[in-house]
Amino acid sequence: MTYIAKPKLHHPELPKNKVGYTRRDYEGKISTLCAGCGHDSISAAIVQACWTLDIEPHRVAKLSGIGCSSKTTDYFLGNSHGFNSVHGRMPSVLTGANLANRDLIYMGVSGDGDSASIGLGQFAHCMRRGVNMVYIVENNGVYGLTKGQFSATADKGSKSKRGVVNNDEPVDMIGLALMLGATFVARSFSGDKAQLVPLIKAAIEHKGAAFLDVLSPCVAFNNHPGSTKSYDYVREHNEAVNRLDVITGRDEITVDYEPGTVTAVTQHDGSVLRMRKLSADYDATDRVKVMNYLQQHAAAGEVVTGLLYVDPDSADLHEHIHTIETPLNQLTERELCPGAVALEKFNASLR
Ligand SMILES: Cc1ncc(C[n+]2csc(CCOP(=O)(O)OP(=O)(O)O)c2C)c(N)n1
Ligand code: SF4
Ligand SMILES: [Mg+2]
């Protein structure tokens, strides 16, 4: 992968977070994406989210597949663990890493081609298994890296840059994530940092599979009239159901909730999601109602954004399969290989 390292020089008085890092410490290499690509704004939002959450960079593992979107893991969190896998295989590689070391924060970054075509099966299984991760799809409706073919999320009737109409039904990744049991489902727009940063923070604090579909226009191949993934189209059709604040479990909670307008959801680690209702009939904790609401609004041509669904009592894969609290990669040989007597006893219990 080609890259240009960022100069390390910065102002000596840049503000530091609680763990002693400046925002610059969360950046990566200089991006080689097209100027104006939505994916770069998502990288900036990830940097902002991790810096403000006071996460030590070495506690994050970022994984990706193949595509312009998957290249971005090189452009943020340069001091974190990273693995660029093959096309559509990020979820299985991430699942394996997560099983070996549950102590890291896992961030999977993918594209609509990477996740809705070749990686659709992998996406499905990490959602239904509840792998503890933030799964970000940088959704531009095209294969940007291979020069703008329609992807499986391109809307029926939308036009390519050359005027060709897409006649195939789109894969609705939000609908799939909900159906498959994801416990945190959100949609946002790369051009709306005020909405995107708190959603990423909330997804990081969530236990289980947190899915974020981020509309991220491809300025080179899908930002023209007739595209439903262009900056203009998303701005004009954006229908936000809520606005989010995240208060981490570590901080004292001193918020004054306004009855009727703010819903507070406490997560497993004590962090509180405060959702300001923008739509009076929206309940982000009722999976079936959320699915109906999204279908109705999609039929009306609206792009519904915000925290769409959250299960405050979520569990993750480790709970499902009863692994021990100690990360498997820290177990000693003695614990991993308890000896012939223990093995014989175990085998006898199965006879
Ligand atoms: C196994 C395999 N098949 C096909 C390709 C070619 N290929 C590279 S990137 C890509 C699609 C990328 O689209 P998306 O995930 O939407 O990322 P974007 O570039 O739009 O961000 C394809 C088909 C590949 N690299 N590997
Ligand atoms: S081709 Fe599209 S997706 Fe790729 S970097 Fe350029 S604008 Fe972004
Ligand atoms: Mg794409």
Side-chain angles (χ1 to χ4, degrees):
M1 208 179 269
T2 52
Y3 64 82
I4 311 161
K6 260 188 195 167
K8 289 204 177 349
L9 277 177
H10 62 72
H11 193 281
E13 280 166 29
L14 275 186
K16 290 185 177 168
N17 62 10
K18 284 186 191 151
V19 285
Y21 294 106
T22 69
R23 197 185 170 286
R24 292 287 313 271
D25 295 318
Y26 293 79
E27 293 178 352
K29 311 255 165 51
I30 290 177
S31 170
T32 58
L33 302 186
C34 306
C37 176
H39 300 350
D40 279 334
S41 307
I42 302 172
S43 299
I46 293 171
V47 167
Q48 184 69 13
C50 291
W51 182 60
T52 50
L53 276 181
D54 305 310
I55 292 170
E56 291 165 303
H58 69 269
R59 290 200 48 237
V60 181
K62 43 180 184 156
L63 292 94
S64 60
I66 299 287
C68 298
S69 34
S70 293
K71 282 172 71 176
T72 64
T73 46
D74 221 18
Y75 310 142
F76 61 82
L77 299 181
N79 296 310
S80 300
H81 307 277
F83 194 90
N84 187 221
S85 74
V86 284
H87 203 20
R89 269 56 167 194
M90 172 275 286
S92 54
V93 177
L94 188 149
T95 304
N98 185 308
L99 283 173
N101 185 0
R102 62 190 293 168
D103 269 0
L104 297 177
I105 295 164
Y106 288 93
M107 199 172 282
V109 177
S110 179
D112 41 312
D114 199 59
S115 280
S117 287
I118 194 167
L120 191 59
Q122 300 235 338
F123 163 77
H125 292 292
C126 77
M127 288 296 122
R128 59 178 276 277
R129 285 178 176 147
V131 179
N132 192 16
M133 69 181 294
V134 180
Y135 194 131
I136 298 180
V137 166
E138 304 192 344
N139 190 351
N140 53 18
V142 288
Y143 295 170
L145 190 73
T146 54
K147 308 256 179 277
Q149 302 85 349
F150 283 126
S151 80
T153 66
D155 288 309
K156 192 173 180 176
S158 64
K159 282 189 188 153
S160 74
K161 203 174 170 182
R162 293 192 174 173
V164 179
V165 176
N166 176 39
N167 291 318
D168 296 335
E169 289 292 338
V171 169
D172 171 10
M173 301 212 65
I174 290 278
L176 276 178
L178 283 166
M179 208 173 72
L180 290 160
T183 48
F184 181 108
V185 180
R187 189 190 280 126
S188 192
F189 172 41
S190 62
D192 187 353
K193 205 172 171 186
Q195 185 192 52
L196 181 56
V197 173
L199 282 175
I200 295 173
K201 287 168 72 173
I204 290 173
E205 305 240 312
H206 183 76
K207 183 182 198 175
F211 178 61
L212 266 161
D213 176 29
V214 187
L215 296 163
S216 176
C218 167
V219 288
F221 300 110
N222 207 12
N223 196 34
H224 46 267
S227 159
T228 57
K229 302 274 193 285
S230 65
Y231 280 110
D232 284 349
Y233 186 93
V234 180
R235 277 193 196 111
E236 279 160 25
H237 296 81
N238 193 341
E239 179 70 30
V241 286
N242 45 39
R243 282 276 158 188
L244 203 71
D245 282 337
V246 181
I247 303 156
T248 63
R250 295 182 292 280
D251 291 344
E252 189 192 356
I253 299 164
T254 55
V255 185
D256 202 11
Y257 299 117
E258 285 176 52
T261 59
V262 175
T263 313
V265 178
T266 305
Q267 302 207 98
H268 69 101
D269 62 350
S271 61
V272 179
L273 308 181
R274 294 177 64 230
M275 288 178 282
R276 181 169 297 276
K277 275 197 184 209
L278 297 182
S279 169
D281 58 338
Y282 200 76
D283 177 3
T285 58
D286 187 324
R287 194 183 288 270
V288 176
K289 280 193 189 151
V290 168
M291 288 165 106
N292 283 335
Y293 184 98
L294 293 177
Q295 290 289 336
Q296 282 161 10
H297 286 255
E302 285 167 5
V303 182
V304 180
T305 60
L307 178 53
L308 305 175
Y309 174 74
V310 64
D311 174 358
D313 302 316
S314 57
D316 80 330
L317 177 61
H318 285 280
E319 270 182 63
H320 297 165
I321 59 174
H322 309 294
T323 50
I324 55 169
E325 286 296 323
T326 314
L328 302 188
N329 68 345
Q330 287 173 30
L331 295 178
T332 62
E333 193 181 340
R334 202 170 160 272
E335 288 158 315
L336 288 169
C337 198
V341 177
L343 185 63
E344 182 47 42
K345 205 170 148 196
F346 177 70
N347 282 341
S349 75
L350 300 173
R351 279 183 199 121

